[in-house]
Structures are given as C-alpha cells and as structure tokens.
Amino acid sequence: MITQETLNRLRHFEEPRFPVLSAYARVDLDPPAQKEFPARVGDLLDRIRPAADDASLEHDVRMSLREDMARIAEAAAVDHHKPGAYAYFACGARDLFEEVALPHPVRDRITLDTTPWTRPLGASLDEYRRTCAVLVDKSRARVWEFYLDEMREIETFRDPLLRDASYATGRGADRLRNKNDEISKHHYRRVAELLADLFRRGEFELLAVGGHAYEAPAFLEFLSPDLRARLVGTFSADMDTATPADVRASAGELVDAHQREEERRLVDACLERAAAGRPAAIGLRDSLWAGSVAAARDLLVQEGDVVPGVVCEEDGWLGLSAEACPLCGEGVRRTPDVVDELVAAVIDEGGSVQHVRADTPLREHVAAATLRFPLPAPAGG
Ligand SMILES: [Zn+2]
C-alpha cells in the first residue's frame, strides 16, 4: 500500500537527463481478467518501446529506459496483484523503482517525463484521511498518526506533577492541588499548541482525543476553533493500559462515523443541487454521460456497487449498453464494472471521487455528481 512518504518522495523526484517512467495499470475484478495483468502492462510498455530503441537518444539513456521496462515487466509478472490498480515509477539511472498498489482502478497510462506522474496516485489517496490521535491525561500526552494501514507515534511527553495530591490532607493538600491544576492547564495548553502546530503544517486532517471521561473535557477547552472543527470525537482510554492498537481501534471508529456523516452531507448537497436546478447528475446513466464529457467535478459512487457496461477506447464514452459508440461509431469494449471506469475517468479529468458507504439515497441511484457545466443532450447508450 502507498505511504505518504513514498508519494512525497515521488512528487519531489526530478531527473533532467534520464527519463522517468510512470505506468498505471488496472487489475480487474474477475479472476480470469486478473491473469491478463502482465499482458496489460506489456501492452503499455510496448507504447514506449520506440523511445528505448531511438538511436538519436544517448546510449546510457536508452539502457536506463530498457532496464526500467524490464524491471516493470518482471514486477507485473509476479502473481500477487489485487483488484484495483498498480502504479510503477522507474528511473534506473537514479535507482528509482516503486510498485504501488492502489485501492481503486485508474485508467491504464504510461508516461516518460522528467518527473514521476503522480496525479492519479494523489487523487486515489484523497479519500483517506490523515488522522492524529492524542491520548492525554493531566500530565502526559502521546500522539500518533494514522494513515492508510500505517500507524506512527510522533510525540510522547510528560509534564511532571509536583506529587500526587490525593493522599495529602489539610491546607497543604489544597495548595498542592491548586499547583497541580496550574501544571495541568499548562500541560493541556502545551499539548494543544503542539497539535495546532502539526495541523498548521498540514500534516493531519482529523483529530481524535482519548483520555478519561473526567479529564478529556478540560483538555478540549484548550483546543483552538480550528482544531475543534477537525475533532471527530473523544474516546475513553487509560494512559497506562491502552495499547497503540486500542487507540487505533477507538480513533478508527470515530473517523469511520465522521466519514459516514460526511458522505451523507455530500449526497444531500448533491441532491439539493439537482433539485435547485444547478448542474448535477443523479443516477448512473447521467453520471456516465457526465464522465464521458469530462463534466463531473465531484463524483459520488455507492461503494461496492458493480454494474456492467461499455467503454469506447477511442474517446472514453461510457454507457450501460451499446454495440457501437454513439460519439464516434467505433466498437465498444465491454466491462464487468462501468462504475470503476467512471471513477477512473473522473480522477483522470482532475475531479474528485467519494466512495459512499453510508446508507443514503445513493443506494438507489448508484452514482451522482456535481458538474462543472450542465450536461449536453445525451448521445444514447
Ligand atoms: Zn467513441
């Protein structure tokens, strides 16, 4: 699975002399088609073979390119590819080689450039939220980052209390408690500032706060309005006994609930937009047409819905059924899942895609999209 570090490294990679090869190939849902993956990658590589044989290029440039092609073909032939897509980035002369699994299909594509082509990679990662989970008590804090399948502890610290006031008595005990309260406030402020700093640097999108139910509210008082807007909720956890896996599970539940809520909001907004007569596509047929003419800006698709359909390889027309493309008249390719084709097309056109798992009216519509412009009259299909 892709990591942000890999994506960042790829985004910053630049090589002016040796070409950087980027290739994206999908892995189909049905097992027989999955077996075609190496051949699919082979077809892609064939498209750039002329460059590898181009005598006008310097010898070492051609050698680097041939080495990259061989390495990608070799990686594609290994039988471990899951449905979705794989991206390859290679520049042998600079020791770059990455094979990255993507959870959703993207359009097959191969490019040679001075930088890796990462846009489909980024778009496909958009639906994952970088989450910061903090476990806090009166004097301690532990901060983790969650993203995709990764978990990383990024900070842990303790602001020492004077000493435990619970067994002290009399005026001394009051003084000790007051002093400890001061220290706790100072501690909470320090944690809140650390979080504000992490979020300001754009490292996280969502925040989950864990701790004892009697302590967490006091801490939340110190969060800035910005941070409170990112807060998905609080969970109950004990600093001494909670394992990182516990924190991950609790934060994960909160993020899930938040995501479902956001999905409901997006579906409602799209339906309201359509009801108000503003550009929107409701239902799969209109959404496919929107994808065919690059009109879809924000696409919503029901997660897991698989609908067979047809694709024109010439111009990207998408439909539920047709013998020939209504736009160009060429024959169409049948696909077991035209929703996946739609997702790939929208990402390719720089739009966003939200896979909706929540129970919303989208269950009935399968797909809906807010549009960049009103749809032209449909071309059939
Ligand atoms: Zn066509």
Side-chain angles (χ1 to χ4, degrees), residues 57-327:
L57 292 175
E58 283 171 86
H59 179 73
D60 56 353
V61 170
R62 276 181 283 147
M63 286 302 113
S64 172
L65 197 48
R66 280 183 202 169
E67 182 194 325
D68 294 342
M69 291 170 67
R71 206 155 165 205
I72 291 173
E74 197 180 308
V78 177
D79 188 22
H80 67 266
H81 297 93
K82 298 189 209 102
Y86 282 78
Y88 296 93
F89 304 94
C91 181
R94 283 274 304 276
D95 225 14
L96 171 73
F97 183 83
E98 295 284 351
E99 182 189 54
V100 179
L102 300 177
H104 297 289
V106 297
R107 227 176 244 179
D108 286 4
R109 185 76 77 86
I110 192 159
T111 63
L112 281 177
D113 202 351
T114 55
T115 57
W117 189 54
T118 56
R119 200 183 70 193
L121 198 60
S124 132
L125 288 175
D126 274 353
E127 63 192 271
Y128 294 96
R129 301 300 146 92
R130 300 181 74 80
T131 303
C132 173
V134 58
L135 190 50
V136 66
D137 71 6
K138 280 183 180 156
S139 64
R140 294 171 292 174
R142 295 180 74 183
V143 184
W144 289 270
E145 168 188 346
F146 300 103
Y147 186 58
L148 297 169
D149 292 338
E150 294 167 68
M151 172 172 191
R152 186 167 66 97
E153 182 156 1
I154 50 178
E155 187 75 57
T156 177
F157 62 87
R158 167 181 221 127
D159 286 313
L161 290 172
L162 291 180
R163 66 186 160 85
D164 191 345
S166 50
Y167 302 109
T169 52
R171 212 179 274 169
D174 287 344
R175 249 201 331 268
L176 193 54
R177 255 193 296 275
N178 287 342
K179 188 71 193 155
N180 277 344
D181 279 351
E182 282 306 308
I183 291 173
S184 287
K185 279 181 192 157
H186 176 81
H187 168 69
Y188 289 154
R189 193 171 296 123
R190 183 178 164 198
V191 178
E193 277 166 10
L194 166 80
L195 295 176
D197 198 42
L198 290 171
F199 278 79
R200 219 176 0 251
R201 295 207 305 254
E203 295 186 14
F204 299 103
E205 293 173 82
L206 302 176
L207 173 67
V209 173
H212 289 296
Y214 55 87
E215 286 173 345
F219 168 65
L220 297 184
E221 292 297 318
F222 288 87
L223 294 181
S224 66
D226 277 358
L227 278 180
R228 244 173 278 176
R230 310 284 191 138
L231 183 66
V232 292
T234 59
F235 58 94
S236 180
D238 179 79
M239 181 70 76
D240 294 305
T241 56
T243 65
D246 295 337
V247 173
R248 187 200 174 99
S250 301
E253 277 174 32
L254 290 173
V255 169
D256 259 14
H258 171 87
Q259 297 275 75
R260 300 298 83 75
E261 192 49 45
E262 189 177 84
E263 289 166 11
R264 276 184 216 103
R265 194 179 54 71
L266 289 170
V267 171
D268 285 350
C270 187
L271 293 173
E272 278 165 22
R273 188 179 163 93
R278 294 164 62 209
I282 307 297
L284 186 54
R285 189 176 295 268
D286 278 0
S287 298
L288 289 174
W289 179 225
S292 304
V293 295
R297 192 186 62 203
D298 303 300
L299 174 71
L300 304 165
V301 293
Q302 187 64 41
E303 175 81 17
D305 271 5
V306 174
V307 181
V310 291
V311 189
C312 172
E313 299 283 15
E314 291 299 310
D315 49 37
W317 178 79
L318 302 164
L320 291 172
S321 66
E323 291 304 318
C325 169
L327 297 182

